[in-house]
């Protein structure tokens, strides 16, 4: 019993007891494939973060092992990812110069802060906070980030020194530096980019046509970036292209991840706190989305709060082993899943493979051109660009479209920090806007049934002496006054009206502000000679209402069902003087509930 309780927080104690030879074989195959993919990718993402290439390898070793111990996904592959790498560069670029010791230390501190935030969120079960980030807004931010990342790497394809924090600055700097373009670098970068795009889309079908099995064709396709790395490194070395101005990776330490210490000075942590929070939230949203999607395909379950603990441990591990902030990556996780990974042990085996690469293979990348790494990044991040989210959000909701478009434009125009901050603010603002204006429907009885529906959508029976209003949202401080104004505006001028029934079937929560609004409604209606009633009140809501004096002062009754209320209060024979309202569209509410 005690082991079962502990295994909730250390999942390896659960799946580790059931580990067998079959799972080992599947995990090992997956680890080999993912390791091949991760070697060039890790080097490339470190370049994107403005860090030495070995930082990418270091950030892919200890964090993966720690996630395997504390994480709940059997296929999530943790390590550096494009968006977090870009956010890391933006954050620490404000506090230290690229290439300095202070820059590397700031990256460690950012990882430590991010890990601590994630760990605390997991311990206090705050995973729900990520729900405040609207998925369309996050999709818009990732799309804009993909464009920014691809644009930022063009300087390596052209062989020029050009920077910038937003799209305008990047494009302007590239335009100014265009005369300094190194054509030798271009002749490496552009063909490599084209080759990697072809590998992603065309190599596997070509290999299958040649008679290779699907599994082997898939492995060779995933090794495409490694082929590009090998070929371009060989070309630069053999033809002495460094003398022609081609920029290369250079010396990479031949060692396992070192023990490192972040800088916990108050000033630096204050500067990095907000970026750390944003990186934590964006990283968690990306990671949990991938983990849940892949888990659903195998009918497995992901524990979001434990995922926070796993990602927190991974980031803290990165902070003390020479890395920088990490999260679960989409591309590598899908590869891990497709390769047949059965347990988190596949990640641990991948870490071993990367450790071997860090010790034995790093001298081989001295002549690796930065243009090749840039091509790897460009091909990877352009798959994140999805402008269809604009079309989808426009078709579904104009407010969602405005939020997505604003996030995209702000990210491109002002950089990732402004973009992601605006995304968070817009997500919360969008939620508050929508819930502050709840859908309210006037309902009537569907003939020959006991069901009530919107009078603007269905042919229903209504009573001129009874008004039934259905509120399709929980009531709280932001929308309580809206209901009050709507209801009082509706009853003005209705001289025959005697009863108002609030149908509460869709109200799941109610706060003190909403109760006070109900008290005001009850008082105002009473002054008009109208009685207020409630129907279909849920238990938790009734418990709240009983806490105060509202039920004692209520002028009417609380009915178990809406049909019971109409039967009790109806002043006309069922079909004689009741009116049937023709179904008609409700302008502006075509997507609302019936």
């Amino acid at each position: 019993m005690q082991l079962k309780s502990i295994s909730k927080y250390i999942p390896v104690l659960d799946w580790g007891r059931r580990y067998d030879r079959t799972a080992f074989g599947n995990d090992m195959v997956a680890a080999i494939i993912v390791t091949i993919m991760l070697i060039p990718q890790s080097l490339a993402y470190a370049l994107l973060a403005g860090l030495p290439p070995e930082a990418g390898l270091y950030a892919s070793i200890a964090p993966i092992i720690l996630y395997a111990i504390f994480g709940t996904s059997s296929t999530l592959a943790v390590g550096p990812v494009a968006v977090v790498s870009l956010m890391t560069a933006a954050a620490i670029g404000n506090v230290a110069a690229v290439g300095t010791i202070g820059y590397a230390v700031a990256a460690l501190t950012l990882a430590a802060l991010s890990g601590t935030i994630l760990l605390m969120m997991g311990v206090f079960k705050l995973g729900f906070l990520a729900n405040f980030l609207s998925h369309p807004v996050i999709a818009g931010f990732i799309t804009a980030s993909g464009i920014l990342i691809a644009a930022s790497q063009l300087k390596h394809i052209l062989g020029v020194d050009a920077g910038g924090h937003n799209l305008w600055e990047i494009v302007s700097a590239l335009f100014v530096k265009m005369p300094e373009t190194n054509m030798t670098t271009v002749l490496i970068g552009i063909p490599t980019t084209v080759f990697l795009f072809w590998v992603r889309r065309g190599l596997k079908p070509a290999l299958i046509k040649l008679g290779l099995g699907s599994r082997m064709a898939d492995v060779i396709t995933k090794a495409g970036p490694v082929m590009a790395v090998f070929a371009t490194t060989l070309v630069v070395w053999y033809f002495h292209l460094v003398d022609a101005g081609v920029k290369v990776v250079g010396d990479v330490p031949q060692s396992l991840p070192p023990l490192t210490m972040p800088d916990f000075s108050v000033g630096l942590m204050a500067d990095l706190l907000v970026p750390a929070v944003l990186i934590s939230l964006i990283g968690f949203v990306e990671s949990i989305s991938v983990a849940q999607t892949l888990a659903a395909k195998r009918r497995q379950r992901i524990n979001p709060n434990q995922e926070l603990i796993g990602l927190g441990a991974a980031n803290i591990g990165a902070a003390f082993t020479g890395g920088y902030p990490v999260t679960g990556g989409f591309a590598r996780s899908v590869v891990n899943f497709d390769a047949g990974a059965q347990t988190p042990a596949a990640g641990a085996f991948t870490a071993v493979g990367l450790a071997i690469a860090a010790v034995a293979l790093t001298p081989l990348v001295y002549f690796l051109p930065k243009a090749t790494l840039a091509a790897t990044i460009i091909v990877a991040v352009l798959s994140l660009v999805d402008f269809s989210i604009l079309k989808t959000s426009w078709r579904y909701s104009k407010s969602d479209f405005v939020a997505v478009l604003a996030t995209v434009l702000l990210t491109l125009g002002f950089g990732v920090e402004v973009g992601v901050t605006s995304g968070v603010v817009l997500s919360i603002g969008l939620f508050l806007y929508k819930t502050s204006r709840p859908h309210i429907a006037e309902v009537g009885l569907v003939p020959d049934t006991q069901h009530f529906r919107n009078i603007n959508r269905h042919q229903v029976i209504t009573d001129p002496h009874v008004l039934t209003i259905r509120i399709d949202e929980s009531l709280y401080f932001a929308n309580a006054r809206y209901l009050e104004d709507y209801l009082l505006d509706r009853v003005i001028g209705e001289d025959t009206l005697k009863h108002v029934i609030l149908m509460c079937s869709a109200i799941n929560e109610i706060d003190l502000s909403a109760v006070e609004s109900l008290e005001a409604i009850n008082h105002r209606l009473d002054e008009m000679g109208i009685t207020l009633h409630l129907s279909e009140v849920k238990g938790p809501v009734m418990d709240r209402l009983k806490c105060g004096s509202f039920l004692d002062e209520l002028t009417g009754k609380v009915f178990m069902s809406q049909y019971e209320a109409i039967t009790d209060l109806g002043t006309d024979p069922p079909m004689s003087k009741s009116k049937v309202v023709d179904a008609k569209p409700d302008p502006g509410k075509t997507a609302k509930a019936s």
Side-chain angles (χ1 to χ4, degrees), residues 1-9 13 17:
M1 185 69 180
Q2 188 176 5
L3 181 61
K4 186 176 181 181
S5 178
I6 295 174
S7 65
K8 288 182 180 179
Y9 302 98
L13 298 178
R17 288 184 292 116

Side-chain angles (χ1 to χ4, degrees), residues 49 79-93 106-118 121 130 133 138 141 271-288 308 311-312 315 324-328 416-417 420-421 424:
V81 299
V83 173
V84 171
S85 296
L86 180 64
M87 293 176 71
T88 297
I92 59 182
L108 300 176
T109 306
L110 187 62
L113 281 172
S114 179
T116 302
I117 292 167
L118 289 165
M121 287 176 66
L133 296 174
I138 292 300
F141 169 71
D271 290 338
L272 295 178
L273 182 59
V274 172
V277 171
L278 297 175
I279 286 173
S280 300
L281 288 175
I282 295 296
F284 176 62
V285 169
E286 180 177 355
S287 179
I288 198 69
L308 283 165
L311 291 173
N315 276 278
Y324 66 97
V326 298
T327 192
V416 290
E417 287 189 342
V420 71
T421 303
V424 172

Side-chain angles (χ1 to χ4, degrees), residues 154 157-158 183-197 371 375:
L154 291 177
I157 300 293
L158 299 176
M183 291 309 300
T184 307
T185 301
V186 171
L187 291 174
I188 293 173
I190 292 180
T192 301
T193 305
V194 172
F195 170 74
L196 290 175
F197 271 118

Side-chain angles (χ1 to χ4, degrees), residues 28-356:
M28 186 59 72
V29 171
I32 292 171
I33 295 173
V34 174
T35 300
I36 292 172
M37 174 187 178
L38 276 186
I39 292 173
Q41 199 176 77
S42 297
L43 298 172
Y45 288 153
L47 179 71
L48 175 60
L51 292 163
E54 64 268 18
L57 288 176
Y58 297 161
S60 301
I61 297 175
I64 298 180
I65 295 174
L66 288 167
Y67 178 82
I69 295 171
F70 295 102
T72 61
S73 172
S74 61
T75 54
L76 188 70
V78 171
V81 299
V83 173
V84 171
S85 296
L86 180 64
M87 293 176 71
T88 297
I92 59 182
N94 294 325
V95 299
V98 176
T100 63
I101 294 295
Y103 190 93
V105 172
L108 300 176
T109 306
L110 187 62
L113 281 172
S114 179
T116 302
I117 292 167
L118 289 165
L119 201 59
M120 291 299 99
M121 287 176 66
V123 169
F124 292 104
K125 302 186 185 303
L126 300 179
F128 69 90
L129 291 176
N131 296 333
F132 286 99
L133 296 174
S134 138
H135 280 278
V137 167
I138 292 300
F141 169 71
I142 290 176
T143 291
S145 296
I147 295 171
L148 270 183
I149 292 168
S152 71
Q153 296 307 297
L154 291 177
K155 64 183 180 182
H156 297 297
I157 300 293
L158 299 176
V160 298
D161 290 320
H165 294 92
N166 57 59
L167 189 61
W168 172 251
E169 290 179 0
I170 293 170
V171 172
S172 299
L174 287 172
F175 183 78
V176 170
K177 294 288 186 177
M178 194 68 71
E180 301 176 16
T181 298
N182 185 291
M183 291 309 300
T184 307
T185 301
V186 171
L187 291 174
I188 293 173
I190 292 180
T192 301
T193 305
V194 172
F195 170 74
L196 290 175
F197 271 118
W198 175 77
V199 164
R200 186 166 277 226
R201 295 180 178 273
L203 181 57
K204 185 175 179 180
L207 292 173
I208 291 175
K209 281 184 179 181
L210 292 175
L212 262 69
S214 179
R215 186 73 174 266
M216 181 56 68
D218 195 53
V219 172
I220 295 175
T221 299
K222 297 300 185 294
V226 176
M227 290 186 266
V229 165
F230 176 78
T232 55
T233 301
L234 187 63
V235 167
V236 170
W237 168 75
Y238 186 79
F239 292 103
H240 305 286
L241 296 183
V242 173
D243 298 334
V246 174
K247 296 180 180 178
V248 296
V249 168
D251 286 315
V252 176
Q254 191 175 358
S255 68
L256 291 172
L259 289 176
T260 52
M261 179 60 68
D263 181 358
F264 293 115
S265 61
V266 175
L268 181 60
M269 288 197 295
D271 290 338
L272 295 178
L273 182 59
V274 172
V277 171
L278 297 175
I279 286 173
S280 300
L281 288 175
I282 295 296
F284 176 62
V285 169
E286 180 177 355
S287 179
I288 198 69
S289 299
V290 175
Q292 289 179 335
T293 299
L294 297 179
K297 294 182 178 182
R298 292 182 179 175
R299 299 187 179 184
Q300 295 173 340
R301 183 176 176 273
I302 297 298
N303 183 335
N305 291 312
Q306 186 60 36
E307 283 296 289
L308 283 165
I309 293 174
L311 291 173
N315 276 278
I316 290 173
F320 289 95
T321 56
Y324 66 97
V326 298
T327 192
F330 177 77
R332 71 187 65 163
S333 297
V334 171
V335 170
N336 203 30
F337 178 89
D338 291 340
Q342 294 296 305
T343 72
F349 298 151
T350 299
V352 173
L354 291 171
I356 294 171

